Amino acid sequence: MPSAVRPANVARVSMLMQSNLLLNNVRTNSVDLLKVQNQLSTGLKLGRPSDSPTDATTIMNLDSTIEQQQQYLSNISYAGNYLNTTDSVLGQVVDLVREAYNLASDSIGTTGQAGRESNAVIIDQIIEELISLGNTTHEGSYIFAGQNSTVAPFSAAQGGVQFLGNRTELQTRIANDTLI
């Protein structure tokens, strides 16, 4: 806080002492003026932490809290996009499974071998597409692989489909005490 101008005329003091007091007041006021000018030019109340350690501590705590909140927002955005991708893929999977079901149902009543074989070929293509959808990634992570998200979770194997992921769910922190 800037100091006030102090009187320089003190009774029973030599002229040299009065001039020293006056010079000291001018220096103190100049330093205070420089601090205020720095605050105005930079827009910062503190130029360095040593100006006010308690205020500097408060500022550092607030900066840390802001960084933490920004990370939580980033986590929420990532999780939302991840879920949107998952929802979209699952919608496509449902459509393909319905199509395969309808083809299989149509083949049950059909006595013609050619019709069943053509439906079987189409269903095999649907299975390949389902494997491809099961291996969908979001920002480089396989969405259905669990925590083993760097390895494609599904592959065609011996006339079927093999799951190579794991069932451990992914979690992200969206607040100090909240994992989703």
Side-chain angles (χ1 to χ4, degrees):
M1 175 182 246
S3 59
V5 178
R6 295 173 199 84
N9 59 355
V10 181
R12 296 183 168 215
V13 177
S14 69
M15 191 61 147
L16 180 61
M17 180 72 154
Q18 285 181 0
S19 65
N20 283 341
L21 283 172
L22 183 61
L23 283 174
N24 190 32
N25 286 343
V26 168
R27 279 189 209 108
T28 302
N29 288 337
S30 294
V31 168
D32 290 343
L33 181 62
L34 178 64
K35 285 180 185 177
V36 170
Q37 286 174 336
N38 280 337
Q39 288 174 349
L40 288 172
S41 67
T42 62
L44 302 174
K45 180 180 177 184
L46 301 178
R48 58 184 70 131
S50 61
D51 290 346
S52 175
T54 56
D55 288 345
T57 301
T58 302
I59 290 169
M60 289 189 303
N61 287 337
L62 289 173
D63 283 345
S64 174
T65 300
I66 289 171
E67 284 179 24
Q68 193 176 44
Q69 295 301 319
Q70 287 173 339
Q71 183 61 51
Y72 292 152
L73 288 174
S74 176
N75 291 353
I76 290 168
S77 175
Y78 178 82
N81 292 337
Y82 196 95
L83 288 175
N84 287 339
T85 301
T86 303
D87 185 52
S88 172
V89 169
L90 288 176
Q92 294 174 41
V93 166
V94 166
D95 292 342
L96 288 172
V97 169
R98 282 186 183 143
E99 184 179 342
Y101 176 81
N102 290 336
L103 286 171
S105 295
D106 291 345
S107 295
I108 291 174
T110 304
T111 56
Q113 183 71 15
R116 283 194 298 254
E117 287 177 1
S118 67
N119 284 348
V121 169
I122 295 172
I123 289 174
D124 284 342
Q125 291 171 349
I126 289 173
I127 291 172
E128 288 177 22
E129 193 167 344
L130 288 170
I131 291 171
S132 176
L133 286 171
N135 291 330
T136 300
T137 61
H138 174 75
E139 294 186 20
S141 297
Y142 290 97
I143 60 175
F144 297 115
Q147 287 187 350
N148 192 15
S149 62
T150 58
V151 176
F154 297 100
S155 68
Q158 301 173 356
V161 178
Q162 184 178 14
F163 178 67
L164 303 171
N166 65 35
R167 294 179 184 205
T168 308
E169 63 188 22
L170 297 177
Q171 295 183 339
T172 189
R173 186 169 299 280
I174 61 168
N176 283 339
D177 56 351
T178 306
L179 281 172
I180 61 165

